[in-house]
Amino acid sequence: NAGVTQTPKFQVLKTGQSMTLQCAQDMNHNSMYWYRQDPGMGLRLIYYSASEGTTDKGEVPNGYNVSRLNKREFSLRLESAAPSQTSVYFCASSEFHGGDQPQHFGDGTRLSIL
Amino acid sequence: GQQVMQIPQYQHVQEGEDFTTYCNSSTTLSNIQWYKQRPGGHPVFLIQLVKSGEVKKQKRLTFQFGEAKKNSSLHITATQTTDVGTYFCAGPILYDKVIFGPGTSLSVIP
């Protein structure tokens, strides 16, 4: 089992460009999450999907959109990239949504916006 | 809003020395989770504590949840180079979303 797979692993964009980060999990988990990680700030939740067909905002949703395509896949879209969105993006999944559920993370996407 | 804080931010130890990181929440938590992230890697779940005063051990790692369920600690005995990484605590807010602390970055000098 691959666990949580993220693509691409690295990306460089110019300001104003758009792109979609892809995430897929093969653990039959119901819940999926997108985080960004910046130095000294830990992991901040951007959006999450508690179950297939639902999405909700996290701590820092501005400038992002998400799509829960099916139970396996959860994508994150930057419509008009800004330098402030330079970060490492992690997708995670858990069996169910809740504060007591361990999360399984992908390897991350390192995104630079010039 | 609710915050989860960790100290220290960085710790450099000689191999074989002990290491402790502390996690504090501004509110009572129903549980606390700990994750480890190796340099260049992704966070990996280590353990979850649920009960007040709970202590759990994983080999050289000892995890403790405070009596008031507002703080937690991770202690590593006799550090090894394999312990290098950033250790995050995480706790739930509003019973469902998990908020992560900023992490403690551990360096081990051989």
Side-chain angles (χ1 to χ4, degrees):
Chain A
N1 286 349
V4 179
T5 303
Q6 291 184 236
T7 56
K9 295 193 184 306
F10 302 93
Q11 185 72 49
V12 179
L13 293 177
K14 294 181 179 178
T15 298
Q17 287 185 317
S18 62
M19 83 160 294
T20 300
L21 307 185
Q22 307 286 353
C23 175
Q25 52 90 11
D26 63 4
M27 294 173 285
N28 200 35
H29 284 174
N30 291 285
S31 305
M32 298 184 74
Y33 309 84
W34 276 106
Y35 292 90
R36 61 177 290 172
Q37 184 175 38
D38 302 293
M41 300 191 71
L43 293 150
R44 292 184 293 168
L45 182 64
I46 304 171
Y47 270 94
Y48 68 100
S49 172
S51 60
E52 187 179 357
T54 69
T55 61
D56 281 289
K57 296 178 180 179
E59 299 173 72
V60 289
N62 292 345
Y64 305 95
N65 285 301
V66 291
S67 295
R68 184 74 182 267
L69 304 171
N70 48 56
K71 190 172 185 179
R72 290 186 64 247
E73 299 173 288
F74 189 39
S75 63
L76 178 71
R77 182 161 178 83
L78 287 71
E79 288 291 351
S80 179
S84 61
Q85 293 177 305
T86 293
S87 188
V88 180
Y89 291 85
F90 286 101
C91 177
S93 70
S94 61
E95 187 173 2
F96 298 103
H97 180 60
D100 63 345
Q101 296 293 307
Q103 296 187 22
H104 301 260
F105 287 81
D107 289 339
T109 295
R110 284 146 182 83
L111 181 61
S112 293
I113 298 160
L114 308 176
Chain B
Q2 180 171 351
Q3 288 187 330
V4 175
M5 297 151 284
Q6 284 185 255
I7 54 170
Q9 186 175 3
Y10 301 98
Q11 184 81 56
H12 306 277
V13 300
Q14 203 75 33
E15 188 173 17
E17 290 182 339
D18 291 357
F19 160 78
T20 303
T21 175
Y22 299 92
C23 176
N24 295 288
S25 169
S26 55
T27 61
T28 301
L29 299 170
S30 58
N31 67 79
I32 193 95
Q33 298 175 355
W34 284 93
Y35 292 78
K36 176 184 178 181
Q37 183 177 20
R38 295 183 186 274
H42 59 272
V44 174
F45 174 78
L46 294 177
I47 206 162
Q48 178 169 272
L49 305 172
V50 178
K51 299 177 183 176
S52 169
E54 187 172 13
V55 178
K56 286 188 175 180
K57 293 189 176 184
Q58 289 180 350
K59 297 182 180 178
R60 294 177 294 103
L61 278 60
T62 301
F63 303 84
Q64 187 164 1
F65 202 9
E67 293 290 342
K69 301 183 77 172
K70 295 180 71 173
N71 58 75
S72 181
S73 65
L74 159 59
H75 179 83
I76 302 178
T77 303
T79 55
Q80 300 176 357
T81 54
T82 53
D83 296 324
V84 166
T86 301
Y87 293 85
F88 295 98
C89 63
I93 58 170
L94 299 176
Y95 302 104
D96 61 350
K97 291 188 287 290
V98 170
I99 185 166
F100 284 78
T104 295
S105 178
L106 172 64
S107 298
V108 178
I109 305 163

